[in-house]
Amino acid sequence: MAINKNSNGYTFLFSIIMVVVVGSALAYTSQSLKPLQKANEADKKMVDILGAIKVPATRANAKEEFSKYVVERISVKYDGSEVNTASGDITAGDKTDPFNIDVKKEYRAIISKIIKSTKKDPEGRKQRLGDAEVTYPLYVCEKNDTTFYVAPVVGTGLWGPIWGYVALLEDGKTFYGTTFDHKTETPGLGAEIKESFFTVKFEGKTLNTSSETVFEVKKGGAVVDEHSVDGITGGTITSKGVGEMLNRTLPVYVKYLSNTSNQKAQK
Amino acid sequence: MSTEVKEIKKTSEPLFSKKNRKLLSDPLNDSNPITVQVLGICSALAITVQVQQAVIMSLSVLFVMIGGNVIVSLLRNRIPDRIRIIVQLVIIAALVIIVNEVLKAFLPDISEKLSVFVGLIITNCIIMGRLEAFALGNKPGPSFLDAIGNAMGYAWILVAVAVVREIIGSGAISLPGMGQVKFIPSSWFIAEGGLYENNNLFILPPMALVVVGIIIWIQRSRNTKLIEEN
């Protein structure tokens, strides 16, 4: 049994066996741990949504608190029309449940491509965003007999994705609370968007529903009014990303909420 | 005749012989991967803000280290020489991915804090170094001990740095499963009318380097054979 360890045949055989063994081991681990990871992600999402309406929750009590405060989950099209509603318990894997819409995946797969290809064509961008098969989830929450609307937003920072949840008051245009997070922004600069000193700036500000840009994140030190906040010094591109995702996503909900309030008024 | 005697000696060598015990104890002090060989510094600076992160990171490295060393040692007569580095990398990468997936499933909060640094265990020079320098030429038993020794050498520095940084920087200690325990009474803080303030400098990575430097200083003053002649 003299095998020449340095022959090409042996090297290839060894590599092939190694790849098959390692590949199947990893596939097995990934598949068997997926349900747990998915559940963790859902818990994190609930904690973030509750964070936007200033309900402190942990992973342990996320489900309980979520069902206590979030009364309805709605999915909305780009033009502001309603697609689906759901309330009560969440079934993992139920595609019609707005909670299971993966906004990050939709952003990565569809929206970010549209944004890239329509950099100089804002009209065309709107057209294509309207045509895209994307639904926007909205969470209706009730805390102390007040209604809040929580909307997820996703965008791009300097190095990678940024995202957050925006809680609007019942009028559908006043910020109640926000949470932002990021994957790989620069610590001390862009990464500061998740810190409370930045997120509190949004509270009480309103969306400018009569203008094209509903909200602005201005470059550090600029004069701000009720429709804008001061960005983060040294985190210009991340701040711009925050402004972009708010401006792209929130008008959808503004349209939806003004539609529904009109309907209510007619009734 | 002499060769025969040697062979008998080799096969009958117990796992915890004097030579093998040295494999465990050396990396803790005389050949510590961080303070003497200055390997794996990157993660030592990045994740020593809290003790629980340091502990989980150390356990991850321990697992990858043991797995890598034992597997490579078992395969050492089968691995083709020309692709041995690739084989080592694949083994380490596979183990690291498994660790990362397990952390994501069972310790999501800590996994988030460790973020990319679990993945970066792949590039931790300590692991590659031990596979190439030790496991490729030794039996699984000694390789196993060598892995534990080196991982513990890495771990105790990591935890020591984290303890100093967390106490001074956050006024707290956090252990896995317990969460962060703040032991400095809030009335001591300047905001509450006291005289104490957490030193935020210790939360920043540069202070980890200073702490590692101080540990090296103390170690060399006690262990004089580490001091170079020139």
Side-chain angles (χ1 to χ4, degrees):
Chain A
M1 272 284 280
I3 303 169
N4 181 6
K5 271 210 306 172
N6 290 320
S7 73
N8 284 341
Y10 181 79
T11 308
F12 274 112
L13 187 72
F14 188 92
S15 329
I16 290 167
I17 294 173
M18 178 179 74
V19 168
V20 170
V21 170
V22 169
S24 40
L26 290 183
Y28 176 76
T29 334
S30 163
Q31 282 304 317
S32 53
L33 292 176
K34 206 169 220 170
L36 279 171
Q37 293 174 351
K38 278 261 152 78
N40 285 336
E41 270 170 35
D43 286 349
K44 174 84 176 115
K45 200 170 173 180
M46 290 177 189
V47 170
D48 286 346
I49 291 169
L50 291 169
I53 59 163
K54 299 179 194 169
V55 173
T58 59
R59 281 180 194 276
N61 66 5
K63 269 202 189 76
E64 212 176 293
E65 298 286 283
F66 190 81
S67 58
K68 199 160 100 193
Y69 290 103
V70 180
V71 289
E72 202 179 12
R73 310 184 288 276
I74 305 169
S75 57
V76 181
K77 266 197 190 143
Y78 187 75
D79 60 9
S81 58
E82 189 176 292
V83 183
N84 268 319
T85 60
S87 55
D89 286 340
I90 296 159
T91 1
D94 178 8
K95 289 229 170 75
T96 58
D97 190 331
F99 184 80
N100 291 330
I101 298 174
D102 192 341
V103 281
K104 281 182 206 162
K105 201 170 157 192
E106 286 190 336
Y107 178 79
R108 203 167 51 225
I110 304 168
I111 298 174
S112 65
K113 280 178 191 149
I114 295 175
I115 291 171
K116 241 178 226 160
S117 60
T118 55
K119 268 198 177 128
K120 287 172 187 152
D121 181 16
E123 281 308 310
R125 176 180 295 184
K126 271 189 191 158
Q127 179 75 31
R128 286 187 56 191
L129 282 175
D131 293 342
E133 293 257 335
V134 179
T135 48
Y136 298 78
L138 178 69
Y139 304 94
V140 185
C141 311
E142 248 168 41
K143 189 175 95 170
N144 303 334
D145 291 325
T146 324
T147 308
F148 300 101
Y149 298 100
V150 179
V153 287
V154 189
T156 308
L158 175 58
W159 305 111
I162 52 175
W163 60 89
Y165 290 88
V166 177
L168 299 173
L169 288 179
E170 202 167 5
D171 64 2
K173 59 178 190 179
T174 310
F175 282 98
Y176 175 67
T178 51
T179 55
F180 293 117
D181 211 341
H182 62 93
K183 194 171 182 196
T184 46
E185 296 309 294
T186 324
L189 300 174
E192 302 281 295
I193 56 165
K194 67 186 281 192
E195 301 301 328
S196 58
F197 83 89
F198 181 67
T199 53
V200 293
K201 285 182 191 166
F202 289 82
E203 289 169 17
K205 298 279 167 105
T206 55
L207 298 174
N208 189 356
T209 44
S210 55
S211 156
E212 279 284 294
T213 43
V214 291
F215 200 76
E216 267 184 284
V217 179
K218 289 193 168 161
K219 203 166 168 168
V223 183
V224 294
D225 55 11
E226 58 172 326
H227 305 307
S228 58
V229 294
D230 197 357
I232 288 169
T233 312
T236 308
I237 295 176
T238 315
S239 304
K240 258 189 193 167
V242 173
E244 190 276 330
M245 70 183 179
L246 293 177
N247 266 314
R248 174 168 39 76
T249 323
L250 293 181
V252 176
Y253 299 108
V254 169
K255 265 181 254 167
Y256 169 75
L257 291 172
S258 64
N259 283 351
T260 49
S261 64
N262 284 346
Q263 276 167 16
K264 270 181 198 161
Q266 277 168 13
K267 275 176 195 167
Chain B
M1 200 47 199
S2 59
T3 50
E4 237 184 333
V5 172
K6 251 186 198 166
E7 263 172 14
I8 290 164
K9 251 190 187 170
K10 247 186 190 170
T11 46
S12 64
E13 191 184 340
L15 188 62
F16 286 98
S17 66
K18 203 176 172 199
K19 198 179 93 201
N20 283 352
R21 275 206 308 270
K22 261 189 102 58
L23 291 175
L24 272 176
S25 60
D26 257 8
L28 297 181
N29 189 356
D30 289 355
S31 64
N32 188 287
I34 294 184
T35 58
V36 179
Q37 301 175 43
V38 200
L39 299 174
I41 279 285
C42 150
S43 52
L45 303 192
I47 47 90
T48 49
V49 178
Q50 287 189 359
V51 178
Q52 65 174 357
Q53 291 174 31
V55 171
I56 300 291
M57 183 73 176
S58 303
L59 290 177
S60 309
V61 169
L62 179 70
F63 172 79
V64 174
M65 194 80 222
I66 292 175
N69 251 11
V70 171
I71 293 172
V72 168
S73 172
L74 285 171
L75 293 174
R76 70 187 185 283
N77 296 326
R78 309 246 185 293
I79 298 174
D81 285 345
R82 280 183 295 177
I83 58 162
R84 68 176 197 286
I85 299 283
I86 300 174
V87 173
Q88 289 165 15
L89 251 176
V90 169
I91 292 169
I92 298 171
L95 291 167
V96 168
I97 292 169
I98 291 172
V99 167
N100 202 9
E101 295 281 310
V102 169
L103 285 182
K104 260 191 205 160
F106 295 102
L107 295 167
D109 282 321
I110 292 173
S111 157
E112 240 167 57
K113 281 194 188 122
L114 293 176
S115 66
V116 294
F117 290 101
V118 176
L120 285 178
I121 295 176
I122 296 172
T123 59
N124 193 323
C125 326
I126 302 169
I127 295 169
M128 268 307 249
R130 290 329 290 171
L131 292 195
E132 178 75 11
F134 196 89
L136 265 182
N138 287 283
K139 287 190 177 154
S143 297
F144 177 72
L145 296 179
D146 180 75
I148 294 182
N150 275 283
M152 293 322 278
Y154 171 81
W156 85 258
I157 300 288
L158 223 65
V159 172
V161 175
V163 166
V164 174
R165 285 182 74 188
E166 193 169 12
I167 289 177
I168 303 180
S170 319
I173 278 286
S174 60
L175 291 171
M178 276 173 55
Q180 208 174 28
V181 183
K182 292 202 191 272
F183 55 80
I184 291 176
S186 59
S187 60
W188 287 17
F189 286 94
I190 290 173
E192 303 279 329
L195 289 167
Y196 186 80
E197 193 63 48
N198 284 328
N199 190 340
N200 280 336
L201 196 57
F202 272 82
I203 296 178
L204 303 174
M207 261 344 257
L209 198 61
V210 174
V211 176
V212 171
I214 292 171
I215 292 178
I216 294 178
W217 181 13
I218 296 170
Q219 190 192 14
R220 295 202 168 200
S221 69
R222 297 173 63 101
N223 192 346
T224 43
K225 68 180 167 216
L226 292 177
I227 301 169
E228 292 90 353
E229 288 287 305
N230 298 309

